Amino acid sequence: MSTKASVIAKSEKLCYSRQKIGLRKDGGRIMNETMKEQTAEICKEENEVAWNQLTYEAWIHKFGTCEQAAAKIQKNPEKMLQVLLPKFGEVKGKKIANLMGSNGTKAVALALMGAQTTVMDFSEGNCRYALELAKEAGVSIRYVLENIVELPEEELTGDYDLVFAEIGILHYFTDLHPLFTTAYQLLKKDGIFVLRDFHPVSNKLITSRGTTAKIRKHKVTGDYFSTELVESEISYAKYMPDSETKKVYLRKWNLGEIITAMAEVGFHIESLDEEPNMSCEQYDKGIPKTFTIKATKR
């Protein structure tokens, strides 16, 4: 199979929202209204800088070189898709977009299964890793280096069979409607949108401590209905322990807000699955860790 990957790049500033929301730092102060407004622009810029800082190096630390990672994916591409694949159905020959597809591991796995895959993400480090990964795997993917809620008109083709976004996505948006509108506009009629992310009970309401099931403890420390932004470590920071990484600012959503926003842009909700800890049956037993929503464009 020939190797090819295209990049569509813009030099404009990338940001996720212009909405002015408050900021809360865990264990710290709550900002007043004036401070909230001053934080709005900083929030957008800081998230962009953080995701363009050390992402390529972080994926090397996590997955190994692109050659090593590609060899692993080639052995079992279906494994990379976990619970998503049953929601996708047959992917061979399908046109698929991965919104905020990061390092391209899912897109490469889908390409190996015969799909025509496009990743849409604004991180140059992610893009570099994804394209090198595709090359080493001997497949073709397309990488659109853009803010997904500000895609150029020529990208909103309305002919994708499937659009998906997964794990650690929603909390970067202060308004979910632009994200879901993008997914809706990309899809053809009866196209499928699959969203998988962290369950708000686990990442918004409770705090879990302890490294084994025996000593694991859970405590309600959050506010399920909070609309504030929270300062946090960027997700790849754990793979770069010796480097100073930027902070990011997160808006954590509850399930009602997520499903309502999807319905308001026109999606028909087909299913909502709430999932336990998938790595161990006894670990965090009885607590939802992730969720998966399947919706269609009618």
Side-chain angles (χ1 to χ4, degrees), residues 198-216:
F198 299 118
H199 200 290
V201 166
S202 291
N203 82 334
K204 185 176 175 69
L205 182 64
I206 68 173
T207 299
S208 301
R209 305 287 185 191
T211 56
T212 67
K214 186 175 181 180
I215 64 172
R216 188 78 160 168

Side-chain angles (χ1 to χ4, degrees), residues 14 22 116 126-127 152 158 168 179 184 215 241:
L14 303 175
Q116 179 186 347
N126 283 344
C127 179
L179 167 63
Y184 194 87
I215 64 172

Side-chain angles (χ1 to χ4, degrees), residues 106-124:
K106 300 294 191 299
V108 168
L110 287 164
L112 285 166
M113 297 170 66
Q116 179 186 347
T117 56
T118 297
V119 178
M120 298 176 176
D121 193 294
F122 72 90
S123 169
E124 294 179 4

Side-chain angles (χ1 to χ4, degrees), residues 163-180:
V163 174
F164 74 101
E166 51 95 32
I167 300 301
I169 300 299
L170 298 182
H171 53 213
Y172 287 108
F173 295 87
T174 56
D175 182 358
L176 294 178
H177 292 83
L179 167 63
F180 295 150

Side-chain angles (χ1 to χ4, degrees), residues 82-96:
Q82 299 182 348
V83 301
L84 293 172
L85 199 54
K87 301 298 182 184
F88 291 175
E90 177 58 58
V91 299
K92 187 176 182 179
K94 297 294 180 65
K95 186 175 182 180
I96 301 175

Side-chain angles (χ1 to χ4, degrees), residues 9 14 26-27 29 31 60 72 100 116 120 151 154 176 210 243 257 289:
L14 303 175
D26 285 343
R29 67 192 185 281
M31 291 190 172
I60 295 292
K72 186 175 181 180
M100 293 181 71
Q116 179 186 347
M120 298 176 176
L151 292 176
E154 58 266 27
L176 294 178
S243 300
E257 292 171 322
K289 301 299 289 185

